[in-house]
Amino acid sequence: QVQLVESGGGLVQAGGSLRLSCAASGIIFSINTMGWYRQAPGKQRELVASITSGGSTNYANSVKGRFTISRDNAKNTVYLQMNSLKPEDTAVYYCNADAKSLVQGFRLINYWGQGTQVTVSS
């Protein structure tokens, strides 16, 4: 009963920036950790960044200093500001959240967004 809707992906030149947004909707009781994952062709899905309900963040080493994750709890939205993009950042980016909903009996369930393509050209 929790849906994650992503936006902000697209095609950018190397060195450019993109801001991804992911809004959670549904009958939500609470959202714990939210994060962004990415998967490039032929590679495993990897964690890019995560943020807890308290605001603690975690980043993959490859994006530290370039990406910033944030969240707006009032809007149930998580953001990923991506600066200094590199061709190596090209991947499908997925929003992820651990959430409890009323209709699921307040069980903590992991949800995934549909993914949004980020392509960085050189």
Side-chain angles (χ1 to χ4, degrees), residues 45-64:
R45 187 173 299 186
E46 64 175 347
L47 175 68
V48 177
S50 64
I51 183 168
T52 68
S53 59
S56 297
T57 58
N58 184 46
Y59 296 92
N61 289 331
S62 60
V63 307
K64 286 182 179 178

Side-chain angles (χ1 to χ4, degrees), residues 62-117:
S62 60
V63 307
K64 286 182 179 178
R66 299 188 298 119
F67 291 8
T68 302
I69 188 170
S70 62
R71 65 190 288 171
D72 186 335
N73 291 330
K75 297 180 179 180
N76 289 328
T77 300
V78 63
Y79 306 93
L80 185 66
Q81 179 66 46
M82 304 185 293
N83 298 325
S84 301
L85 283 163
K86 305 175 181 179
E88 305 93 276
D89 297 317
T90 296
V92 177
Y93 284 70
Y94 297 90
C95 180
N96 179 267
D98 293 324
K100 296 179 180 179
S101 67
L102 185 151
V103 296
Q104 293 296 110
F106 299 101
R107 292 180 292 117
L108 186 65
I109 299 175
N110 187 252
Y111 297 89
W112 289 94
Q114 76 287 343
T116 183
Q117 178 70 48

